[in-house]
Amino acid sequence: MIKRLSCWMIGISIVGLLGCATVSIQTDYDPSVDFKRYETYAWDTEQQTPSDALARDPLMRKRIKKAVDQVLQEKGFRLKTAGSVDFTVVVHAGVKERMRVTNWGSRGWYDPWWGPYGGQVDVSYYTEGTLVIDVIDADTRELAWRGINEGIVREYADVEQMEKSIQETVREILKAFPPDVENSNRK
């Protein structure tokens, strides 16, 4: 029971990041890669690590992969399960507990004059999550593009809301893929 609850909490944490109020999306790519030649892709299972939060939650990995497939296919890329491909995709995730300290100062209005009267420090704890989508060039086996979403984790009331949030987040991350969009015939 405890193990099941633990896995559930990891899943909630990962998903929570996908719909965070404070979101940071970053992308980077190798400018020497000709992204216009990319047409087909496959999922890379060799790059998975046991410490990855998605390794501990296969249902969440499945939901994220489904969202990535949908977005890539909307952009005109074709998923292949056999044969050679132009690039492979890997998803990673992680969660960290964080602490935020806000010092409101030690001065304020103290009738009838300004002066020190104590101070206030607020401490809050939150969970920060990261979702990474990597595109690896199939010929060179090197990282060609990376999209990262970092944010504060939140919980969801139901699976449908969670899946919608995953789809929105993956779409936002992959908005910048391929990086040469204006010179490409892709959407």
Side-chain angles (χ1 to χ4, degrees), residues 20-160:
C20 351
T22 307
V23 175
S24 170
I25 295 182
Q26 305 159 358
T27 61
D28 195 7
Y29 67 94
D30 181 347
S32 70
V33 174
D34 180 10
F35 291 95
K36 288 184 259 180
R37 70 176 177 80
Y38 284 0
E39 294 179 4
T40 59
Y41 73 98
W43 284 94
D44 189 333
T45 56
E46 295 174 15
Q47 306 247 357
Q48 304 301 327
T49 60
S51 63
D52 180 18
L54 292 176
R56 297 184 302 258
D57 191 345
L59 290 176
M60 186 57 59
R61 179 181 300 285
K62 186 176 180 178
R63 287 181 177 109
I64 293 170
K65 285 175 68 171
K66 179 181 173 187
V68 170
D69 282 338
Q70 182 177 346
V71 173
L72 288 178
Q73 290 168 19
E74 287 172 1
K75 289 177 171 271
F77 298 106
R78 292 186 326 274
L79 173 64
K80 289 178 70 176
T81 56
S84 64
V85 294
D86 301 316
F87 66 94
T88 59
V89 179
V90 179
V91 292
H92 314 272
V95 291
K96 291 181 189 176
E97 294 301 315
R98 298 283 195 186
M99 177 175 61
R100 178 180 296 138
V101 178
T102 305
N103 184 348
W104 297 101
S106 61
R107 291 193 159 290
W109 181 255
Y110 189 78
D111 196 23
W113 63 86
W114 280 94
Y117 70 93
Q120 182 175 346
V121 175
D122 290 331
V123 178
S124 60
Y125 297 91
Y126 63 96
T127 303
E128 181 180 83
T130 304
L131 175 64
V132 179
I133 301 174
D134 285 340
V135 171
I136 298 164
D137 189 272
D139 293 337
T140 64
R141 299 295 301 151
E142 291 184 7
L143 184 64
W145 183 91
R146 172 171 278 174
I148 302 171
N149 176 11
E150 294 178 327
I152 298 172
V153 172
R154 69 171 212 188
E155 293 185 25
Y156 290 96
D158 56 49
V159 173
E160 291 80 22

Side-chain angles (χ1 to χ4, degrees), residues 153-169:
V153 172
R154 69 171 212 188
E155 293 185 25
Y156 290 96
D158 56 49
V159 173
E160 291 80 22
Q161 185 183 24
M162 177 190 338
E163 288 180 350
K164 181 180 177 191
S165 183
I166 290 169
Q167 184 67 34
E168 290 170 359
T169 300

